[in-house]
Amino acid sequence: TTYAGSSIGCGGVRVYGLNHKITNNYFEGLTGSKWDATCTLTNGDVTNTSSSNSSHFLPENILFAYNTLINNKSDFEIGFDNSGAYGLAPKNNIIANNIVINNVNPIIKSFSTTSLAGVIFQNNIMYPTGTSTLGLTGVTDLQIKNTDPLLIKTNCRAYNQNCEFSTPFEIYKLSSASPAINTSTGNLQTDAEGQPVVGIRDIGADEFNADAAITNGPLNEQQVGPNAPEVFTYE
């Protein structure tokens, strides 16, 4: 899509300001970049003490955790400064316990070392395939594990388990051998499907749980809007 002479795509989350938490989201095949990457943390042009109603408050104390990102055009873009108009780097932001797979482009794009210093990576699984790369060097396994998360696309509660219950859409979920199972470092107690934690919370948006009912997930135009059913059981 083209707007005002620029190519734009479908984005994920662009966040400014203080203390936001972006958790339990599933992003697949998004086409946005720069302003519209899957997770966009640009620089800001005012601090979070500003009283402005129209400025871009620098991202500070943001948590982006327990999300699953699959083959998006651009996953993380950090520190875009809008040709120098945004001079204030992000501060004290955390990207943790996410699963990312990309098969074309770098997973992480940073625009300056100063901006990148305002983002901490903790316990993520990121798996570049094809022509993709991680986009960073010098990271440890405590920050980012470069390993196959062993996901598989399914509409069951868990792949090949409890398939007498099915969801309207297939999404990439953990297989029983995934290194994401029981290895997160946080305490979020439900996943993107509304299922409770079994043992230690799994990395990513999906908890491997073949027993609990799925109450949440992707919707289409038949399930939302003015003609949507008053009551909709997802599974």
Side-chain angles (χ1 to χ4, degrees):
T1 303
T2 300
Y3 175 76
S6 298
S7 178
I8 60 174
C10 178
V13 176
R14 174 160 48 114
V15 58
Y16 297 100
L18 277 169
N19 301 332
H20 301 293
K21 293 178 173 63
I22 301 100
T23 60
N24 275 345
N25 296 282
Y26 180 87
F27 306 95
E28 182 182 355
L30 301 185
T31 56
S33 59
K34 195 167 70 173
W35 299 114
D36 300 304
T38 307
C39 176
T40 303
L41 296 174
T42 76
N43 282 9
D45 56 1
V46 296
T47 69
N48 286 299
T49 59
S50 172
S51 59
S52 171
N53 291 320
S54 59
S55 299
H56 299 79
F57 291 71
L58 69 87
E60 186 173 358
N61 301 339
I62 307 300
L63 176 66
F64 186 91
Y66 294 107
N67 302 292
T68 298
L69 291 68
I70 306 292
N71 291 336
N72 302 295
K73 180 179 179 180
S74 183
D75 295 305
F76 297 96
E77 296 206 23
I78 299 166
F80 179 69
D81 68 1
N82 196 21
S83 301
Y86 299 173
L88 302 175
K91 290 183 179 180
N92 194 38
N93 303 290
I94 298 174
I95 294 174
N97 297 307
N98 302 287
I99 290 177
V100 189
I101 297 175
N102 196 306
N103 59 7
V104 177
N105 297 312
I107 290 173
I108 301 164
K109 180 177 181 179
S110 65
F111 291 84
S112 74
T113 55
T114 301
S115 296
L116 186 61
V119 179
I120 299 168
F121 293 90
Q122 295 178 348
N123 202 47
N124 301 280
I125 293 177
M126 298 187 180
Y127 188 53
T129 65
T131 58
S132 176
T133 62
L134 185 59
L136 291 182
T137 59
V139 296
T140 69
D141 279 354
L142 294 176
Q143 297 169 303
I144 299 170
K145 297 181 181 72
N146 186 344
T147 189
D148 188 346
L150 298 177
L151 306 185
I152 194 158
K153 209 163 197 179
T154 182
N155 64 348
C156 302
R157 287 184 179 175
Y159 180 70
N160 276 345
Q161 299 189 44
N162 234 337
C163 287
E164 64 268 27
F165 301 98
S166 63
T167 58
F169 302 95
E170 292 186 336
I171 62 172
Y172 282 98
K173 301 173 70 172
L174 305 178
S175 66
S176 60
S178 173
I181 293 176
N182 289 333
T183 56
S184 86
T185 55
N187 57 7
L188 202 62
Q189 293 300 302
T190 55
D191 72 356
E193 296 181 321
Q195 292 184 305
V197 168
V198 179
I200 298 171
R201 172 64 199 262
D202 303 337
I203 296 172
D206 173 49
E207 177 75 8
F208 188 84
N209 187 334
D211 298 319
I214 293 172
T215 60
N216 190 42
L219 301 172
N220 65 17
E221 66 276 7
Q222 295 175 347
Q223 288 110 31
V224 300
N227 296 320
E230 290 293 330
V231 178
F232 177 70
T233 302
Y234 191 79
E235 187 179 67

